[in-house]
Structure formats: structure tokens, C-alpha cells
Amino acid sequence: MIRVDEKGFYGKFGGAYIPEMLHPNIEELRDNYESIVASEEFQQEFQLLLRDFVGRPTPLYFASRLSETFGAKIYLKREDLCHTGAHKVNNTIGQIILAKKLGKKRIIAETGAGQHGVATATVCALMGMDCTVYMGELDIERQRPNVERMKILGAKVVPATSGSRTLKDATNEAMRQWINNPVDTHYIIGSVVGPHPYPEMVARFQSVISEEMKWQLKEKEGRENPDLVIACVGGGSNAAGAFYHYYNTPDVRLIAAEAAGLGISSGKSAATTVLGTPGILHGSKTILMQTEDGQVVEPHSISAGLDYPGIGPVHAHLFDIGRGEFVAVEDEDAMQAGILLSRTEGIIPAIETAHAIHALNMIEYRKDDVVVINLSGRGDKDLETYIKWGGY
């Protein structure tokens, strides 16, 4: 049975490895989160906003031309149709309601591709809360449209200028700020990473994805379970949401597509399960890319949302016990898969999602297997990268 224990561990991975100064913040969250989220008042507000603000349920779309191309029955779970353009808003809605009930007045967040930053800025505008988003300087350059969206929504965007100037460094900056402002501030982590209870909490808010998939498949296929679920994994929140209700259904294969960057052995990769070893990253024990003396290795991916040097502890556990099948997709292959989807189905995917599309070329499946690919976000934010890559 795959589930988190009371200390926040999935098997060997998880927990809360945090500095003493962060204990009050985490303990307040851990002591109150379960009872607040389980309350009828919370659930009513959460479900209402998911329906009327986010636009759920998102469609489960049968991709007929893509299915012909690969010889399987391929459905796309259209998280790209969520308000703000990606699955990220499912989590930020849940966390902003939680923050409000905890009496917080200020929100901080980190972002890589910018989708979580936009989703956080959006819910802060909705609830009238002050919002600061930390974003790597490099990511600010390559995800300019999302930076402008955050500013229009009223958020302050602060560049992280240390290290690789990407998601890891933005997370470091956000955690430092939270330590210095524990009383009035809530940190909305955007993925299934960080100290307990964050990985489980984010996965729970994202589990609406697989919850909908079950009844939608029942309507379309006469059964709740697909043969395969495929999702991209950086930290892994969209994958956690897509896998959540299938963790303990061994007949459903769970396929996670990581970013191999310029190649596994190139030194420019983010293929954590291939290159990583167990260690501590951002407050939890997981698998991460690190040197022999424990220094984090800088990741690389053409997609700003996948260049994270680790994976969430739930995914580390799935990999460790063999429940999840992990493939590493190179930049070039992901870009080609993004164009393929654009030209067969008229859907331009986020480059993160394009990694999941290419995974179909790397795994074996039977003809007419029912495959659900979680289309985690739309490609609007990546148009410049697509144009530069393809010379359009």
C-alpha cells in the first residue's frame, strides 16, 4: 500500500529535514492542515472555486490522430484548459484557502516555468493577499510572458541570482524569506517537494486530476482504469495528481518522463533517477543529483519546469520499489513531440508536457491499450522557445 506515514515518509523518502528556525512554520502547518482540509467548510469553498473559477472538470479528450500514429487509444487529460493554463492552480486554490484559515496575510512562492507563479499571483489577487514570487534570473529571461502576467496580477517578482539562477535557487530564496517572516506569511510550494506535510498536501490538492479521470474513463471506455498513465516529472506535482488514485492499482502502469536535457552523460541533464542518489534537498529526503561530497549538481532542461535537480519523495519511492517506470527524454525529442502534438491534434503543449508525449516512443505497450497522458500545461509560455528551436 503506497501512502505517506505520520512522519511524512513514503518508504525511505520524505520527512522534514529543516533548520530549527523553520520548525514553528512547519509545525503550525502540520498541526492544522489535516483538520482544516477535512472540514466541510473548506471542501465547499475548494470545490466551488475548482468548478467556477478554475473551470473543472477538465476534459478527457480522445486524441484520434495521435492514437493512429502510435497504435494505442490515447486520451489527453486537458489540464492545459485550467484557468492560468496549467494544473498548478489546483494546488494554489487549496493552499490559499488554507492560508486564509490560518490567518496569514502574505504569500510567497517559487516558480520555474512561471506557471506556479502565475497561479499563485492569481489566487492572491482573488483573495486580496500580498504576493511575492521568487524566480531564477535565467527563468525570468526565458519565460517573460509569465513574468508579465504575474506583475499585472499584482505580484512582486524577485530574481534569484545565485547558482544556476533557476528553480532550485528560487526555492532557496523563498525558504530564506519564510524563515524571516514566520508569523504572517505562508509559503505556497508549487510541487510535491519540500518538508512534510507539503509533498502529501500538494499531491492531495492535485489528486482531483485522477479522481476525474476515473469517472471520465468509465463514461468513455466502460472502466475506471486505463492501462497506462503518463506524465512528465520535475518535482512532479502533475504526475502525483495523475497517479494518485492509481498508486495501489498495480494493473495501471505509471510512466514518468524526466528531462534528459542534452543527454544523460552530457553534464547538461535533469534525469534524476538515472544520475541521482539519495540525499536531502529542500527539506526532504529524496533522490537528487549530487556530487560525492553532497553538493547539488546543476540540472539542465530546455523546459524551465523540469530543470530541478531532484524529484518529489513520492516519486523517489515509486522508483525505488519499481511501481513507477521512469524514462529520460532529451531536449530535441521533447521539442519534436511538442510539434507532433501541435500538428496532429491542434494542441500546442507546454514543453514539459511534450516530454510525456515522447515517452510513447520509449516504452512498450499493446495495440489498443488505453493510455492517458496528463497534458499538464499549454504551450503559450514556450512559443519563443519553439520558434527559436524550429526557426518558424
Side-chain angles (χ1 to χ4, degrees):
M1 181 72 79
I2 296 172
R3 62 172 56 160
V4 69
D5 70 19
E6 60 185 22
K7 293 185 177 179
F9 280 88
Y10 299 88
K12 296 182 252 182
F13 301 102
Y17 297 83
I18 51 176
E20 191 66 34
M21 292 175 70
L22 206 50
H23 274 279
N25 309 46
I26 292 298
E27 284 175 6
E28 180 188 29
L29 199 56
R30 199 165 51 219
D31 291 347
N32 293 287
Y33 139 71
E34 286 278 0
S35 60
I36 290 173
V37 170
S39 71
E40 186 177 341
E41 184 184 9
F42 178 96
Q43 284 299 323
Q44 283 182 348
E45 187 172 3
F46 183 50
Q47 296 300 332
L48 185 67
L49 286 171
L50 287 181
R51 188 190 73 191
D52 294 348
F53 188 72
V54 176
R56 304 204 71 89
T58 57
L60 185 68
Y61 166 69
F62 177 63
S64 60
R65 296 191 65 211
L66 199 67
S67 296
E68 288 173 18
T69 301
F70 286 102
K73 298 178 77 172
I74 299 172
Y75 288 91
L76 305 177
K77 183 57 173 158
R78 297 292 308 277
E79 293 302 292
D80 59 313
L81 294 179
C82 288
H83 178 46
T84 74
H87 69 289
K88 293 293 186 181
V89 71
N90 303 323
N91 169 49
T92 60
I93 289 284
Q95 287 205 51
I96 198 78
I97 300 170
L98 177 63
K100 188 175 67 171
K101 294 192 181 303
L102 288 170
K104 305 301 180 182
K105 306 296 182 190
R106 179 170 174 264
I107 298 296
I108 58 173
E110 87 299 327
T111 196
Q115 286 301 130
H116 174 60
V118 170
T120 301
T122 297
V123 297
C124 286
L126 178 69
M127 297 292 185
M129 285 200 189
D130 181 78
C131 179
T132 302
V133 179
Y134 296 87
M135 189 172 187
E137 196 172 48
L138 179 62
D139 291 337
I140 286 175
E141 292 169 11
R142 59 182 175 175
Q143 299 285 263
R144 178 63 56 184
N146 276 343
V147 176
E148 300 306 327
R149 286 187 185 97
M150 286 182 260
K151 289 179 178 178
I152 289 169
L153 289 160
K156 180 181 179 184
V157 182
V158 179
T161 58
S162 61
S164 61
R165 299 176 297 139
T166 57
L167 180 57
K168 168 182 69 70
D169 313 291
T171 304
N172 290 339
E173 291 294 332
M175 283 198 166
R176 273 193 282 270
Q177 277 299 311
W178 198 27
I179 287 171
N180 293 330
N181 299 278
V183 177
D184 69 339
T185 301
H186 176 69
Y187 177 16
I188 297 185
I189 292 181
S191 195
V192 285
V193 300
H196 177 62
Y198 276 105
E200 196 276 331
M201 178 169 68
V202 175
R204 186 184 295 192
F205 291 146
Q206 293 293 359
S207 71
V208 64
I209 298 171
S210 52
E211 183 181 330
E212 289 175 3
M213 279 162 50
K214 288 177 79 74
W215 63 258
Q216 289 171 325
L217 279 169
K218 182 72 172 175
E219 283 184 353
K220 294 174 183 294
E221 291 290 330
R223 56 182 168 122
E224 291 186 339
N225 298 342
D227 296 295
L228 300 88
V229 180
I230 307 176
C232 62
V233 171
S237 64
N238 93 91
F243 295 168
Y244 195 92
H245 288 283
Y246 299 114
Y247 284 149
N248 299 305
T249 309
D251 290 344
V252 179
R253 293 169 61 193
L254 307 179
I255 314 294
E258 294 185 296
L262 300 182
I264 295 294
S265 56
S266 67
K268 295 282 188 179
S269 180
T272 300
T273 58
V274 180
L275 300 170
T277 53
I280 309 299
L281 179 65
H282 293 141
S284 69
K285 184 178 181 183
T286 188
I287 298 172
L288 68 144
M289 300 193 308
Q290 57 186 331
T291 61
E292 288 185 5
D293 60 351
Q295 298 301 306
V296 174
V297 172
E298 300 296 350
H300 165 81
S301 171
I302 196 168
S303 60
L306 297 185
D307 63 352
Y308 187 67
I311 52 176
V314 64
H315 297 304
H317 180 54
L318 293 176
F319 174 74
D320 185 52
I321 65 173
R323 177 67 185 97
E325 301 172 45
F326 286 72
V327 296
V329 179
E330 295 186 10
D331 288 350
E332 184 73 13
D333 291 330
M335 296 304 290
Q336 289 177 0
I339 298 301
L340 174 67
L341 183 64
S342 301
R343 294 181 178 178
T344 55
E345 297 293 345
I347 299 168
I348 304 172
I351 296 172
E352 290 82 3
T353 295
H355 287 70
I357 303 295
H358 181 76
L360 287 163
N361 294 301
M362 304 178 72
I363 59 174
E364 292 184 359
Y365 48 85
R366 300 181 303 269
K367 181 175 171 54
D368 294 329
D369 268 355
V370 173
V371 179
V372 177
I373 300 175
N374 195 41
L375 206 66
S376 58
R378 68 180 77 131
D380 302 23
K381 68 184 179 60
D382 294 319
L383 290 182
E384 204 170 297
T385 304
Y386 275 118
I387 291 165
K388 186 176 178 182
W389 172 82
Y392 302 113

